[in-house]
Amino acid sequence: MKAFTYERASTAEAAARAAAENPGAKYIAGGTNLLDLMKLEIETPQHLIDVNGTGLDKIAATPEGGLRIGALVRNTDLAANETVRRDYGLLSRALVAGASGQLRNKATTAGNLLQRTRCPYFYDPNQPCNKRLAGSGCSAIGGVTRQLGVIGTSDACIATHPSDMAVAMRALDAEIETVKSDGATRSIPIADFHRLPGDAPHIETALEDGEFITAVVLPKPIGGKQIYRKVRDRASYAFALVSIAAVVQPDGRGRVAVGGVAPKPWRLEAADAELSNGARATSGILLEGARPTDDNRFKIDLVERTLGAVIAEARG
Amino acid sequence: MQFDTPATTNPIDRMKVVGKPIHRIDGQLKTTGRAKYAYEWHDADVAYAYGYGYPVGSAIAKGRITSMDTSAAKAAPGVLAVVTTLDVGDLKKGQFNTANLFGGTQIQHYHQAIAVVVAETFEEARSAASLIKVDYAEEKGVFDLETAAEKAVKPDESQQPDSAAGDFDAAFRAAPVTLDARYATPDQSHAMMEPHASIAAWNGDEVTLWTSSQMIDWWRGDFAQTLGIDKEKVHLMSPFIGGGFGGKLFLRVDAVLAAFGAKACGRPVKVALPRPFIANNTTHRPATLQRIRIGAQRDGKITAIGHESWSGNLPDGSLETAVMQTRLLYAGENRMTAMRLAALDLPEGNAMRAPGEAPGLMALEIAVDEMAEKLGIDPIAFRIINDTQVDPENPERPFSHRDLIGCLKLGAERFGWHARKAPAARREGNWMIGLGVAAAFRNNLVLPSGARVRLDGDGIVTVETDMTDIGTGSYTIIAQTAAEMMGVGIDRVAVQLGDSRFPVSAGSGGQFGANSSTSGVYAACIKLREAVARKLGFNSVDVIFEDGSVRSGNRTVPLAEAAGADGLVGEDTMTWGDLTETHQQSTFGGHFVEVGVDVATGETRIRRMLAVCAAGRILNPITARSQMIGAMTMGAGGALSEELAVDTRRGFFVNHDLAGYEVPVHADIPHQEVIFMDETDPYSSPMKAKGVGELGLCGVAAAIANAIYNATGVRVRDYPITLDKLIGGLPDVA
């Protein structure tokens, strides 16, 4: 860990201003991922802006009938929120499928979106990694890739985004609200929030330098059966090999987002349209053009099988 | 004392303290955080500041270092000293080490230690460590066992690579029912909770080392040899150990770096290995490729059994002895085993809990299940048909005591084995349910073990031995042994372990610790009893030690009074005659597992586990059960998730942390039950006990594999049995 300076920001605007004044600064909230990365010197911020005092820890109804989730709402609190459990069960189920009780107590909504990949080559500073050090190469390609991505990847990076929460939010069409250092605010659809790696895998989101997440907004509830199915080697405390976030309406139509397969929560509206035609049709479109490795080719089959189980559960 | 004839009735048979379910006597120290582990140790009487050492590991797997630039690290805030592998030059390797731990230019494996940075704080040391610049001349290495196995060689005879009896080839050819199958087990990591950690403090030319070691005397000798000092100059202490599983049998580099760091900065220095070092810097259980051939008559009698294994290691490294149990477990007149060693440039392979038997049974006990199915015989019945009461390679050698059949029969009854159905025949919702069984087998090893037992004027018995407690319960069973021998309650016994000033013990490994070390205490107590009797003028033959007193005829003297103000001491070492040669001493068990496999995803979740063990006298059913359920948990990991993933291009274990190397979590472990057969083995020791710590692991993974087969009809012979190996054979769900 490199030495860093530290300040506390008391408002979102102040946090964004502080970031503008300190190039290379990082926000810290729960710190469940950032601190690990700093210890390994994968992240080496010279300045940390502690945003825990910005008061963004509320969950409130929106005038449109949706829900605004403050950036600092802890994963545990979000999962347990009565409205979330009633109207957005998918989100609650995804949250409790992730991490451990201790981590969920600390981890925040915004931090969860911004967590970085668990690709083992990213985590080993001796190995080339375009995400860790732009232009250094990808040592994962041709290496141990069982956990890694099968679609949306590039020749520069095959890492996945590890979040469970974000997969549910993608299925729920969440929007991410931000503020910039000049006070300007905007709302980014989650579909546009995480970037595909292309030739610049170190740039992971649509956020500009210093842009600060204030909230995640869910549209009004859409009902339906909401199922989050996470598939992993051990029963808890493991990242998804594949996860399915699905909302299935009584008529069989619905939405599906997939985790564990891509650099972002993976959802295609064209695949949603096939949902009533079953898992094979849906996953065929979802994973069209996939580029698996020999180690992770099974994920193609696994998505279809898991989705099949999810659809059956929704109908049952 | 030499144990060279089978035990007859002795004071242990009273079983007033030994054999009782006594909670571990060090438990409260641990639950209240007062048990000091190596890295936490500090001597409150000495006013000094520690230096914090942080290691630097090689970034390449093979080659040599051409230069190192430490200037930036030395100039970093708080840095007290930087010691590099070039600074210390070539060091003499420890007797028990295969890979060089430190010193010189050669790199033999990834994360080999190449420097230690010592600073005022841990954070400063870690930060400065990343500033060291290293230039390497990288060499091409061999990292893939499958490729290397083609050039594997027969190691020297000391490793007992081959065995044969009868005419295997002819018998196998002639057998009406045969199996010829190949199996694979992966590299595995000890993944113990407490990383390797040491504090070294020099006083002139003497060094004190607080460390985390299973084997005090081995470490002491190799530490001295590596530093080039006299063994007598080393005082080593390891009173509490947060798990070892074989990973702390042999000197590790944290001790060496702490010693060099302390020398360089003139302060005591503490070094803990960062988690990634556990996989790539220390030892691991080597992967194996195995071939098993079994030929049998239609009535199930085995006529030919052959087991071959290939494993890899650094040059001069040892085999993973995966065929050893096959030489002993089942009858059959015609037999062969063979082990071959491939040269690999991965980190050193070495002992991990039940070395040999653990991976060997992972394969053999699937093969037996497969063979039973081919024969149309229940797998338990098949094992019973082929039971043997003698060493099948040397039929004149009987087993000292063998009750595998009893374990399997009792287990079948308790587990409800009769409910087992044909493969893929039982469903509960999305779960395919299956039952599996495997035999457990592990030899009972014994090592010389010494102890000193003091009796003081308060009647307190204090045991001193360099035996270690790696979480196993050594403190408790040693206290029970001394209490039984001296006729006092366990509350009158104090136990001090893990200090090189104490008599050399067996140490902890190979499941030899419990039986060997308590036998050493037994021997020392015999000496102390003689001293008490002698002092009181009693004839030691008819003296009875009971209820805190010593009695002879009508005369009874409290032990405290007998000891007097000066106290009395007994010291001895238990050594072993040839009973392990004349009689095959082993431990036995049956593992029973019920699994559910998700029909869509192929996820396997264990539902029930039962182990029935025949392992001689159980010294303490609580600590023994704890050993068993811990081992069964490790077996679950071995079956379902644990694998050090090798990058065969770059030569290292990629998943080198506890997120990537998946050991079971609580949610993976369901109801576990353990039954110990009520038995003694008078050939094993005066304790009539044998080990259980490794037996508990042996066969577990195969029982799970067999249960998965029973659930799904998919036979996987390549561990771990992850869902990607199953889903291709599961029913269509889409």
Side-chain angles (χ1 to χ4, degrees), chain A residues 121 124 127 139 229 234 305, chain B residues 600 603 647 649-650 663 731:
Chain A
Y121 294 90
D124 188 331
Q127 309 305 328
S139 48
R229 181 69 168 91
R234 62 182 170 191
R305 298 184 68 89
Chain B
E603 289 165 295
D647 187 317
R649 309 158 306 164
R650 308 178 72 86
V663 299

Side-chain angles (χ1 to χ4, degrees), chain B residues 11-283:
Chain B
I12 297 297
D13 294 322
R14 296 187 292 187
M15 299 277 283
K16 287 184 176 175
V17 193
V18 168
K20 292 283 182 280
I22 294 171
H23 286 282
R24 56 184 72 213
I25 60 173
D26 51 328
Q28 201 175 42
L29 283 179
K30 289 183 172 170
T31 55
T32 55
R34 285 177 297 156
K36 290 275 192 291
Y37 290 83
Y39 199 75
E40 307 174 305
W41 193 277
H42 65 93
D43 188 338
D45 296 333
V46 183
Y48 47 59
Y50 290 103
Y52 288 82
Y54 196 84
V56 180
S58 168
I60 65 164
K62 189 178 187 187
R64 66 192 165 80
I65 296 174
T66 53
S67 70
M68 296 178 77
D69 178 358
T70 60
S71 53
K74 283 178 174 163
V79 170
L80 300 169
V82 177
V83 182
T84 74
T85 189
L86 304 183
D87 296 339
V88 303
D90 290 333
L91 300 176
K92 195 166 179 194
K93 201 169 69 181
Q95 181 188 342
F96 294 97
N97 295 126
T98 297
N100 279 326
L101 297 182
F102 192 56
T105 59
Q106 290 299 318
I107 299 299
Q108 290 178 294
H109 62 87
Y110 189 68
H111 273 174
Q112 178 179 319
I114 59 170
V116 61
V117 176
V118 185
E120 295 280 1
T121 69
F122 171 81
E123 288 76 13
E124 287 169 335
R126 184 176 59 186
S127 176
S130 69
L131 300 175
I132 295 178
K133 293 188 176 62
V134 188
D135 288 321
Y136 300 96
E138 196 167 355
E139 292 166 26
K140 194 170 161 50
V142 179
F143 308 114
D144 179 30
L145 176 59
E146 285 210 32
T147 312
E150 290 163 14
K151 295 180 192 163
V153 298
K154 180 177 167 181
D156 67 77
E157 291 299 326
S158 70
Q159 297 200 50
Q160 301 175 274
D162 290 343
S163 74
D167 184 344
F168 170 81
D169 286 332
F172 184 72
R173 266 198 311 275
V177 182
T178 59
L179 171 83
D180 182 352
R182 290 176 182 271
Y183 305 85
T185 65
D187 297 286
Q188 293 181 333
S189 179
H190 305 86
M192 71 296 281
M193 187 84 79
E194 180 203 27
H196 302 75
S198 292
I199 301 175
W202 289 91
N203 180 13
D205 63 351
E206 297 185 352
V207 62
T208 302
L209 186 75
W210 292 272
T211 191
S212 187
S213 159
Q214 296 175 227
M215 305 292 287
I216 300 298
D217 194 58
W218 291 4
W219 276 61
R220 188 183 184 211
D222 274 356
F223 184 60
Q225 184 157 309
T226 304
L227 297 181
I229 63 175
D230 191 3
K231 185 176 173 182
E232 301 309 312
K233 301 287 188 188
V234 176
H235 176 201
L236 194 148
M237 283 175 279
S238 186
F240 295 103
I241 296 123
F245 310 118
K248 295 169 180 171
L249 284 169
F250 318 112
L251 178 71
R252 299 307 330 158
V253 79
D254 52 300
V256 177
L257 296 180
F260 278 109
K263 195 98 181 166
C265 75
R267 295 187 193 183
V269 165
K270 52 168 67 177
V271 176
L273 296 189
R275 183 56 66 179
F277 275 52
I278 308 300
N280 283 295
N281 175 274
T282 75
T283 59

Side-chain angles (χ1 to χ4, degrees), chain B residues 413-435:
Chain B
E413 180 193 321
R414 293 291 180 88
F415 201 68
W417 181 253
H418 61 86
R420 178 173 172 267
K421 295 186 175 168
R426 186 173 157 203
R427 277 284 286 274
E428 291 180 15
N430 284 333
W431 294 102
M432 309 178 82
I433 311 297
L435 303 186

